[in-house]
Amino acid sequence: MRPKQFLALYTENSLFRDTLDRVSGDMFGPALAICNDDHRFLVAEIFREADVAEGDIILEPVARNTAPAIAAAALSIAKSDPDALMLVLPSDHVITDEAGFLNSVQIGAQAAMDGGLVTFGMTPDKPETGYGYIRRGAALGDVAGGFKVDSFVEKPDAATAQDYLQSGEYLWNSGMFLFRAGVLIEEMRRHCPDVVAACQDAVAKGQRDLTFLRLDETAFASSTGISMDHAVMEKTDRAVVVPASFGWSDIGAWSALWEISQADENNNVVLG
C-alpha cells in the first residue's frame, strides 16, 4: 500500500515528489500521473503539496504494465494536442544531477520533434547485471547527442555485462521516454494495435471523479499486459537513444540504495 515511490529514501521528500519537482520548471507543461486506484489520494495530496493545480491524475483499475499505462496517458494528451511532447518518467527513480537531466531532455526533445521515440540510456560505470541494456547505433545527423537504437538487450550475466562495459557501445536502459503523443499512438497502432484499441476504449468510457480520470475497468483489463520496450521500442524503426550521465538510479535493490547514500564510520547507511 506504500511502495517505494511514496517513501523519502534519498531526500526529505518522497521519490514521487522529487520526480514531480524535477519537471516543474518553465520548460514543462502540466504534470500527468497515472497510478493505481488505491494510491489516488496519496498522489493527489502530493500534487496539492507541490501546488500542481493544472495536473491530471489517471487511475488504472488493474495493473497492465507500462505500455497500456503510457498509451492511456498519450491518448488523453492527444485529445487536446496530438503534437504535444510527452516525457515519461517512472516516479521511483533518483537523479542527482538536475542540470544534466534537463540538458538530456532538451536533446531528446529535438529528436522527438523530428518524430523519434526517444529513450535515455545511462552510461554504465560498472558491469551491472540488474539492468537491461541498449546498444547504440549510428549518430543522428541533425541532433547532436542522439543516436539510433541498434538493439535492446535483456539483463545480462556478469561476463556479458563486463563485455558490454568494455565495448563502450552499450547503455543502461533507464525506462524513461520522450515522444510526441500522436507519434507514439501511431506506432502503437502499427506494433500493438490491441493494446492501443483497448486503451482508447478505456479512456473514451472513463469517468471523471473529482480530480481523477477513472479508466473503464472492462476495457482496460482487456489489454495485454506488456512493457513499453516489448510492445513498441524493440519493434519500431523510430527508436532513438540519448546517452546520459546524471546520477541516475532506479533503486532496484537495497544495495543500490546503499550505493547512493551517505555511509557512516561503520560503512552503514541509516535512515531515520
Coordinates of all heavy atoms in Angstrom, one line a residue, residues 103-154:
N103 N 19.4 19.0 -19.5 CA 20.1 19.0 -20.8 C 19.8 17.8 -21.7 O 19.6 18.0 -22.9 CB 21.6 19.1 -20.5 CG 22.5 19.2 -21.8 OD1 22.4 20.2 -22.5 ND2 23.3 18.2 -22.0
S104 N 19.8 16.7 -21.1 CA 19.4 15.4 -21.8 C 18.0 15.5 -22.4 O 17.7 15.1 -23.5 CB 19.6 14.2 -20.9 OG 20.9 14.0 -20.6
V105 N 17.1 16.1 -21.6 CA 15.7 16.2 -22.0 C 15.6 17.1 -23.2 O 14.9 16.9 -24.2 CB 14.8 16.7 -20.9 CG1 13.4 17.1 -21.4 CG2 14.6 15.6 -19.8
Q106 N 16.4 18.2 -23.2 CA 16.4 19.1 -24.4 C 17.0 18.5 -25.6 O 16.4 18.7 -26.7 CB 17.3 20.4 -24.0 CG 16.6 21.3 -23.0 CD 17.4 22.4 -22.5 OE1 18.7 22.3 -22.4 NE2 16.8 23.6 -22.3
I107 N 18.0 17.6 -25.5 CA 18.5 16.9 -26.6 C 17.4 15.9 -27.1 O 17.1 15.8 -28.3 CB 19.8 16.1 -26.3 CG1 20.9 17.1 -25.9 CG2 20.2 15.1 -27.4 CD1 22.1 16.4 -25.3
G108 N 16.8 15.2 -26.2 CA 15.7 14.3 -26.6 C 14.5 15.0 -27.2 O 13.9 14.4 -28.2
A109 N 14.2 16.2 -26.8 CA 13.1 16.9 -27.4 C 13.3 17.2 -28.8 O 12.4 17.2 -29.6 CB 12.9 18.2 -26.6
Q110 N 14.6 17.5 -29.2 CA 14.9 17.8 -30.6 C 14.6 16.5 -31.5 O 14.0 16.6 -32.5 CB 16.4 18.2 -30.8 CG 16.7 19.5 -30.1 CD 18.2 19.7 -30.2 OE1 18.8 19.7 -31.3 NE2 18.9 20.0 -29.1
A111 N 15.0 15.4 -31.0 CA 14.8 14.2 -31.7 C 13.3 13.8 -31.7 O 12.8 13.3 -32.8 CB 15.6 13.0 -31.1
A112 N 12.6 14.0 -30.6 CA 11.2 13.7 -30.6 C 10.4 14.7 -31.5 O 9.4 14.2 -32.1 CB 10.7 13.9 -29.2
M113 N 10.8 15.9 -31.6 CA 10.1 16.8 -32.5 C 10.2 16.3 -34.0 O 9.3 16.6 -34.8 CB 10.8 18.2 -32.4 CG 10.5 19.0 -31.1 SD 8.9 19.7 -31.0 CE 9.1 21.1 -32.1
D114 N 11.3 15.6 -34.3 CA 11.5 15.1 -35.6 C 10.8 13.7 -35.8 O 11.0 13.1 -36.8 CB 13.0 14.9 -35.9 CG 13.8 16.3 -36.0 OD1 13.1 17.3 -36.2 OD2 15.0 16.3 -35.9
G115 N 10.1 13.3 -34.8 CA 9.3 12.1 -35.0 C 9.9 10.8 -34.3 O 9.4 9.7 -34.5
G116 N 11.0 11.1 -33.6 CA 11.7 9.9 -32.9 C 11.0 9.5 -31.6 O 10.3 10.3 -31.0
L117 N 11.1 8.2 -31.3 CA 10.7 7.7 -30.0 C 11.9 7.6 -29.2 O 12.8 6.7 -29.4 CB 10.0 6.3 -30.1 CG 8.7 6.3 -31.0 CD1 8.1 4.9 -30.9 CD2 7.7 7.3 -30.6
V118 N 12.1 8.5 -28.2 CA 13.4 8.7 -27.6 C 13.4 7.9 -26.2 O 12.4 8.0 -25.5 CB 13.7 10.2 -27.3 CG1 15.0 10.4 -26.6 CG2 13.7 10.9 -28.6
T119 N 14.5 7.2 -26.0 CA 14.8 6.7 -24.7 C 16.1 7.2 -24.2 O 16.9 7.7 -25.0 CB 14.8 5.1 -24.7 OG1 14.9 4.6 -23.3 CG2 15.9 4.6 -25.5
F120 N 16.3 7.2 -22.9 CA 17.5 7.7 -22.3 C 18.4 6.6 -21.8 O 17.9 5.8 -20.9 CB 17.2 8.7 -21.2 CG 16.4 9.9 -21.7 CD1 15.0 9.9 -21.7 CD2 17.1 11.1 -22.1 CE1 14.3 11.0 -22.2 CE2 16.4 12.2 -22.6 CZ 15.0 12.1 -22.6
G121 N 19.6 6.5 -22.3 CA 20.5 5.4 -21.9 C 21.6 5.9 -21.0 O 22.3 6.9 -21.3
M122 N 21.7 5.3 -19.8 CA 22.7 5.8 -18.8 C 24.0 5.1 -19.1 O 24.1 3.9 -19.3 CB 22.2 5.4 -17.4 CG 20.9 5.9 -17.0 SD 20.9 7.8 -16.9 CE 19.8 8.1 -18.3
T123 N 25.1 6.0 -19.2 CA 26.4 5.5 -19.4 C 26.9 4.6 -18.2 O 26.9 5.1 -17.1 CB 27.4 6.7 -19.6 OG1 26.9 7.5 -20.6 CG2 28.8 6.2 -19.9
P124 N 27.2 3.3 -18.5 CA 27.5 2.4 -17.4 C 28.9 2.7 -16.8 O 29.8 3.1 -17.5 CB 27.4 1.0 -18.0 CG 27.7 1.3 -19.5 CD 27.1 2.6 -19.8
D125 N 29.0 2.5 -15.5 CA 30.3 2.7 -14.8 C 30.7 1.4 -14.2 O 31.8 1.4 -13.4 CB 30.3 3.9 -13.8 CG 29.2 3.7 -12.8 OD1 28.6 2.6 -12.7 OD2 28.9 4.7 -12.1
K126 N 30.0 0.3 -14.4 CA 30.3 -1.0 -13.8 C 29.5 -2.0 -14.6 O 28.5 -1.7 -15.2 CB 30.0 -1.0 -12.3 CG 28.5 -0.8 -12.0 CD 28.2 -0.7 -10.5 CE 26.8 -0.4 -10.3 NZ 26.5 -0.3 -8.8
P127 N 29.9 -3.3 -14.5 CA 29.2 -4.4 -15.2 C 28.0 -4.8 -14.5 O 27.9 -5.9 -13.8 CB 30.3 -5.5 -15.3 CG 31.1 -5.3 -14.1 CD 31.2 -3.8 -13.9
E128 N 26.9 -4.0 -14.5 CA 25.7 -4.2 -13.8 C 24.8 -5.3 -14.4 O 24.6 -5.2 -15.6 CB 24.9 -2.9 -13.7 CG 23.6 -3.0 -13.0 CD 23.6 -3.4 -11.6 OE1 24.3 -2.7 -10.8 OE2 23.1 -4.4 -11.3
T129 N 24.4 -6.3 -13.7 CA 23.6 -7.3 -14.2 C 22.1 -7.1 -13.9 O 21.2 -7.9 -14.3 CB 24.0 -8.7 -13.6 OG1 23.9 -8.6 -12.2 CG2 25.4 -9.0 -14.0
G130 N 21.8 -6.1 -13.2 CA 20.4 -5.8 -12.8 C 19.6 -5.0 -13.7 O 18.4 -4.7 -13.5
Y131 N 20.3 -4.4 -14.8 CA 19.6 -3.6 -15.7 C 19.6 -4.2 -17.1 O 20.5 -5.0 -17.5 CB 20.3 -2.2 -15.9 CG 20.4 -1.4 -14.6 CD1 21.5 -0.6 -14.3 CD2 19.3 -1.3 -13.8 CE1 21.5 0.2 -13.2 CE2 19.3 -0.5 -12.6 CZ 20.4 0.2 -12.3 OH 20.5 1.0 -11.2
G132 N 18.6 -3.9 -17.9 CA 18.6 -4.1 -19.3 C 19.5 -3.1 -20.0 O 19.9 -2.1 -19.4
Y133 N 20.0 -3.4 -21.2 CA 20.9 -2.6 -21.9 C 20.4 -2.2 -23.3 O 19.5 -2.8 -23.8 CB 22.3 -3.3 -22.1 CG 23.1 -3.4 -20.9 CD1 22.8 -4.2 -19.8 CD2 24.3 -2.6 -20.7 CE1 23.6 -4.3 -18.7 CE2 25.1 -2.7 -19.6 CZ 24.8 -3.5 -18.6 OH 25.6 -3.6 -17.5
I134 N 20.9 -1.1 -23.8 CA 20.6 -0.6 -25.1 C 21.9 -0.5 -25.9 O 22.9 0.2 -25.3 CB 19.9 0.8 -25.1 CG1 18.6 0.8 -24.3 CG2 19.7 1.3 -26.5 CD1 18.0 2.1 -24.0
R135 N 22.0 -1.1 -27.0 CA 23.2 -0.9 -27.9 C 22.9 0.3 -28.8 O 21.9 0.2 -29.6 CB 23.5 -2.1 -28.7 CG 24.8 -2.0 -29.5 CD 25.1 -3.3 -30.2 NE 26.4 -3.2 -30.9 CZ 26.9 -4.2 -31.6 NH1 26.2 -5.3 -31.8 NH2 28.1 -4.0 -32.2
R136 N 23.7 1.3 -28.8 CA 23.5 2.4 -29.6 C 24.1 2.2 -31.0 O 25.1 1.5 -31.2 CB 24.1 3.7 -29.0 CG 25.6 3.8 -29.0 CD 26.1 5.1 -28.3 NE 27.5 5.2 -28.4 CZ 28.2 6.2 -27.8 NH1 27.5 7.0 -27.0 NH2 29.5 6.3 -28.0
G137 N 23.4 2.8 -32.0 CA 23.8 2.6 -33.4 C 24.4 3.9 -33.9 O 25.1 4.6 -33.2
A138 N 24.1 4.3 -35.1 CA 24.7 5.5 -35.8 C 24.2 6.7 -35.2 O 23.0 6.9 -34.7 CB 24.4 5.4 -37.3
A139 N 25.0 7.8 -35.1 CA 24.7 9.1 -34.6 C 23.6 9.7 -35.5 O 23.7 9.5 -36.8 CB 25.9 10.0 -34.5
L140 N 22.7 10.5 -35.0 CA 21.8 11.2 -35.7 C 22.5 12.4 -36.4 O 23.1 13.2 -35.7 CB 20.6 11.7 -34.8 CG 19.8 10.6 -34.2 CD1 18.7 11.3 -33.3 CD2 19.2 9.7 -35.2
G141 N 22.3 12.6 -37.6 CA 22.9 13.7 -38.3 C 22.5 15.1 -37.9 O 23.3 16.0 -37.9
D142 N 21.2 15.2 -37.5 CA 20.6 16.5 -37.2 C 20.4 16.8 -35.7 O 19.9 17.8 -35.4 CB 19.3 16.7 -38.0 CG 18.4 15.6 -37.8 OD1 18.8 14.6 -37.2 OD2 17.2 15.7 -38.3
V143 N 20.7 15.8 -34.9 CA 20.6 16.0 -33.4 C 21.8 15.6 -32.7 O 22.1 14.4 -32.5 CB 19.4 15.2 -32.9 CG1 19.2 15.4 -31.4 CG2 18.1 15.6 -33.6
A144 N 22.6 16.6 -32.3 CA 23.9 16.3 -31.6 C 23.6 15.7 -30.3 O 22.8 16.2 -29.5 CB 24.7 17.6 -31.4
G145 N 24.2 14.5 -30.0 CA 23.9 13.8 -28.8 C 22.9 12.7 -28.9 O 22.6 12.0 -27.9
G146 N 22.3 12.5 -30.0 CA 21.3 11.5 -30.2 C 21.8 10.4 -31.2 O 22.6 10.7 -32.1
F147 N 21.3 9.2 -30.9 CA 21.8 8.0 -31.7 C 20.6 7.1 -32.1 O 19.7 7.0 -31.3 CB 22.8 7.2 -31.0 CG 24.1 7.9 -30.7 CD1 24.2 8.8 -29.6 CD2 25.2 7.7 -31.5 CE1 25.4 9.5 -29.3 CE2 26.4 8.4 -31.2 CZ 26.5 9.3 -30.1
K148 N 20.7 6.5 -33.2 CA 19.7 5.4 -33.5 C 19.9 4.3 -32.5 O 21.0 4.0 -32.0 CB 19.9 4.9 -34.9 CG 19.3 5.8 -36.0 CD 17.8 5.6 -36.0 CE 17.2 6.2 -37.2 NZ 15.7 6.1 -37.2
V149 N 18.8 3.6 -32.2 CA 19.0 2.4 -31.3 C 19.3 1.2 -32.2 O 18.6 0.9 -33.2 CB 17.7 2.1 -30.5 CG1 17.7 0.7 -29.9 CG2 17.4 3.2 -29.5
D150 N 20.4 0.5 -31.9 CA 20.7 -0.7 -32.7 C 19.9 -1.9 -32.1 O 19.3 -2.6 -32.9 CB 22.2 -1.0 -32.5 CG 22.6 -2.3 -33.2 OD1 22.8 -2.2 -34.5 OD2 22.7 -3.3 -32.6
S151 N 19.8 -2.0 -30.8 CA 19.1 -3.1 -30.2 C 18.9 -2.9 -28.7 O 19.6 -2.2 -28.1 CB 19.8 -4.5 -30.5 OG 21.1 -4.5 -29.9
F152 N 17.8 -3.6 -28.2 CA 17.6 -3.7 -26.8 C 18.1 -5.1 -26.3 O 17.8 -6.0 -27.0 CB 16.1 -3.5 -26.4 CG 15.7 -2.0 -26.6 CD1 15.3 -1.5 -27.8 CD2 15.6 -1.2 -25.5 CE1 14.9 -0.2 -28.0 CE2 15.2 0.1 -25.6 CZ 14.8 0.6 -26.9
V153 N 18.7 -5.1 -25.1 CA 19.2 -6.4 -24.6 C 18.7 -6.6 -23.2 O 18.7 -5.7 -22.4 CB 20.8 -6.3 -24.6 CG1 21.3 -7.7 -24.2 CG2 21.3 -5.9 -26.0
E154 N 18.3 -7.8 -23.0 CA 17.8 -8.2 -21.6 C 18.9 -8.2 -20.6 O 20.1 -8.1 -21.0 CB 17.1 -9.6 -21.7 CG 15.9 -9.7 -22.5 CD 14.8 -8.8 -22.1 OE1 14.7 -8.6 -20.8 OE2 13.9 -8.4 -22.9

